[in-house]
């Protein structure tokens, strides 16, 4: 049986590796987040208007701190696009899900949302499992017995710290971000 599965697994690996070789780090992958271009992911956050253009000053402020980046809708969209190139967008998606979860007011919805987030991001072998240590995962599992607005705080903090120390500095050095800055400066000229 294992021998029958081997070729399929190798084919899947070749496909994934082929995708990596075609991955682009150019601004063409990134221009979709510019306000004057349509972008489905960005439209999840807000409907764009002509008066809401990304300025060089705004994009430059993203380098001030990770939290400044996360507080800006275009910053989140840009960081998401970058994380997709690294196949690690589940970290940001988990962090955003936790932020949305904290706004839950209905107890019934709180319990169902908590279980959905846990099953999608925290549980071992979750479809979009985040990289957290065993102790944090187990503490979060225990929190699921009686979900509250703070049940993901420890896991969310670990993921935030991981992104801040690891992905965020790479994002700031990436060709994507640098191209975005230069493109926003050219638009002003």
């Amino acid at each position: 049986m294992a021998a029958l599965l081997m070729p399929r697994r190798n084919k899947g690996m070749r496909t994934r590796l082929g995708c990596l070789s075609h991955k682009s780090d150019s601004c063409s992958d990134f221009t979709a987040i510019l306000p004057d271009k349509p972008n489905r992911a960005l439209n999840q956050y807000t409907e764009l208007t002509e008066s809401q253009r990304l300025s060089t000053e705004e994009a430059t402020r993203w380098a001030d701190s990770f939290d400044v980046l996360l507080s800006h809708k275009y910053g989140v969209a840009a960081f998401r696009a970058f994380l997709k190139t690294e196949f690690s967008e589940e970290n940001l998606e988990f962090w955003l899900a936790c932020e949305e979860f904290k706004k839950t007011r209905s107890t019934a919805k709180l319990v169902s949302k908590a279980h959905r987030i846990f099953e999608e991001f925290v549980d071992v072998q979750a479809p979009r499992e985040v990289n957290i240590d065993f102790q944090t995962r187990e503490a979060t599992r225990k929190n699921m017995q009686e979900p509250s607005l703070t049940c993901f705080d420890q896991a969310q903090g670990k993921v935030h710290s991981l992104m801040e120390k690891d992905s965020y500095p790479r994002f700031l050095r990436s060709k994507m971000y640098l191209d975005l800055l230069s493109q926003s400066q050219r638009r002003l000229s």
Side-chain angles (χ1 to χ4, degrees):
M1 183 72 167
L4 293 174
L5 295 176
M6 184 74 87
R8 194 173 295 204
R9 195 176 310 145
N10 287 341
K11 182 180 181 199
M13 183 59 78
R14 281 195 307 272
T15 302
R16 284 188 289 257
L17 291 173
C19 290
L20 286 174
S21 68
H22 297 307
K23 184 176 81 172
S24 172
D25 193 27
S26 71
C27 187
S28 64
D29 292 341
F30 210 53
T31 54
I33 67 127
L34 294 174
D36 54 342
K37 299 242 182 189
N39 179 328
R40 280 176 257 140
L42 188 54
N43 286 336
Q44 292 174 13
Y45 296 98
T46 186
E47 196 72 28
L48 298 177
T49 65
E50 280 300 304
S51 64
Q52 294 173 310
R53 294 193 176 273
L54 178 64
S55 72
T56 304
E57 181 182 330
E58 289 170 320
T60 303
R61 265 190 265 135
W62 299 347
D64 291 347
S65 78
F66 185 52
D67 290 325
V68 169
L69 173 77
L70 291 177
S71 70
H72 194 276
K73 63 187 169 208
Y74 300 148
V76 169
F79 191 56
R80 177 183 284 122
F82 172 75
L83 290 175
K84 283 183 179 186
T85 69
E86 296 196 331
F87 304 100
S88 63
E89 69 269 19
E90 70 279 352
N91 294 322
L92 179 62
E93 298 303 331
F94 171 69
W95 187 86
L96 291 169
C98 290
E99 288 298 295
E100 189 61 34
F101 174 76
K102 291 175 185 177
K103 298 174 186 172
T104 306
R105 295 296 164 234
S106 160
T107 306
K109 286 182 181 179
L110 183 121
V111 171
S112 66
K113 282 182 180 183
H115 286 287
R116 191 170 53 243
I117 291 169
F118 184 84
E119 290 168 3
E120 186 172 349
F121 296 104
V122 181
D123 206 3
V124 176
Q125 300 297 311
R128 301 193 311 171
E129 184 179 355
V130 292
N131 184 12
I132 54 176
D133 59 86
F134 176 79
Q135 290 82 7
T136 303
R137 190 177 315 280
E138 286 308 303
T140 306
R141 183 182 312 283
K142 286 178 185 165
N143 291 342
M144 291 292 95
Q145 293 170 359
E146 291 184 40
S148 69
L149 291 176
T150 61
C151 65
F152 294 109
D153 285 358
Q154 185 180 2
Q156 185 186 21
K158 296 277 183 167
V159 169
H160 181 280
S161 180
L162 176 70
M163 289 189 298
E164 185 174 32
K165 292 176 181 162
D166 187 40
S167 305
Y168 173 63
R170 282 197 313 277
F171 167 72
L172 295 177
R173 292 188 307 265
S174 73
K175 185 172 181 349
M176 290 175 121
Y177 176 63
L178 298 174
D179 284 352
L180 177 67
L181 283 176
S182 112
Q183 200 169 55
S184 65
Q185 288 171 342
R186 278 196 305 266
R187 253 199 352 242
L188 293 174
S189 313

